[in-house]
Amino acid sequence: MQRRGLKWTLGALLVLYLLLTTSSLADIYSAPLRVRFRPQKSDVIVLLSSGEVDSDWLSPDATQRTLGALKLYKEHYAPWIISSGSQTSEGWHQAELQATWLDRAGVPKEAIIVEGRSERTYRSAVEVAAIMAQRQWKSALVVTSQMDVPRVRLVFQKLGVQTSYLAVPEFRRPTHLQLFWKQAFDVTFHATYEYAGLAYYKWKGFI
């Protein structure tokens, strides 16, 4: 009897997994993470890092974020940009590479602050808060991926930093089944990562 119940449970989980990773249910599953925010003019723009392909090229997600920070700077939302987060222990230097691309796009070097000590989101927030306190900055406009915003916002809130957000979209909303079939797995994976991250950060007392 127990074995039959286990088979039914595993079967139901498999069906749920297939539905989430191949259909528009992934969009519904991730919807609570996709909160809209309005950027506000601030003392500094904070560009949180993502990935890099190699020593000269950012990942698509990191490129989107960097373009978002560039857009905000060009539109005079803040006169400074902090590029934060590098996984140096794994040989990656995302914060530095983002700063390089901002420089290539015309942002003055003196307007870019590189924070490359932190390797995780929480540590990035702590390091950014310290830089802001040192310079007596009160407000930050944070650029990160859309589904990351709820976790990042709660971290900065716990640290007492006043923030607004540019939530950079990662995925196109589904318009038909074929389109979503191609990206449903990625949407489900990132959403699951963020739900788990929220639970972990709560357990650790980060939020």
Side-chain angles (χ1 to χ4, degrees):
M1 200 71 168
Q2 288 181 343
R3 185 174 295 178
R4 180 180 295 178
L6 180 60
K7 285 182 178 179
W8 275 104
T9 301
L10 291 175
L13 289 173
L14 178 60
V15 170
L16 178 61
Y17 171 80
L18 290 172
L19 286 172
L20 283 174
T21 57
T22 60
S23 76
S24 58
L25 277 181
D27 189 58
I28 298 171
Y29 175 64
S30 63
L33 297 168
R34 286 185 276 99
V35 182
R36 292 187 177 276
F37 288 88
R38 184 183 298 276
Q40 303 291 328
K41 292 201 172 183
S42 303
D43 294 322
V44 63
I45 296 162
V46 175
L47 171 57
L48 296 181
S49 70
S50 185
E52 62 181 89
V53 176
D54 58 32
S55 60
D56 198 43
W57 292 98
L58 295 165
S59 69
D61 182 42
T63 301
Q64 287 282 86
R65 295 187 191 191
T66 304
L67 287 173
L70 176 64
K71 178 177 183 293
L72 293 172
Y73 180 82
K74 294 291 187 181
E75 293 175 356
H76 308 291
Y77 275 86
W80 299 87
I81 300 175
I82 299 175
S83 180
S84 176
S86 291
Q87 294 173 301
T88 52
S89 63
E90 298 179 23
W92 300 111
H93 301 275
Q94 298 100 310
E96 292 81 359
L97 186 54
Q98 289 175 164
T100 296
W101 278 101
L102 289 169
D103 175 44
R104 288 169 176 168
V107 179
K109 280 187 172 69
E110 58 270 21
I112 305 169
I113 299 168
V114 176
E115 184 289 294
R117 299 201 307 171
S118 60
E119 295 200 357
R120 294 289 182 265
T121 302
Y122 175 72
R123 291 308 311 174
S124 284
V126 170
E127 295 292 340
V128 166
I131 292 170
M132 291 180 63
Q134 184 180 35
R135 295 183 176 240
Q136 298 185 323
W137 290 337
K138 303 299 182 185
S139 60
L141 174 45
V142 182
V143 182
T144 191
S145 301
Q146 189 174 39
M147 284 196 280
D148 294 18
V149 171
R151 179 167 53 93
V152 172
R153 181 179 64 83
L154 289 171
V155 170
F156 276 111
Q157 184 176 296
K158 185 71 177 282
L159 293 171
V161 179
Q162 179 186 332
T163 54
S164 63
Y165 293 86
L166 177 63
V168 180
E170 299 167 82
F171 306 105
R172 185 184 301 175
R173 301 296 296 276
T175 55
H176 53 81
L177 183 61
Q178 183 180 7
L179 172 66
F180 214 64
W181 181 281
K182 296 177 181 177
Q183 68 176 29
F185 177 84
D186 292 336
V187 173
T188 300
F189 179 86
H190 191 175
T192 302
Y193 179 91
E194 286 303 321
Y195 289 133
L198 284 165
Y200 176 74
Y201 273 37
K202 184 67 175 177
W203 176 64
K204 293 289 287 185
F206 296 162
I207 61 177

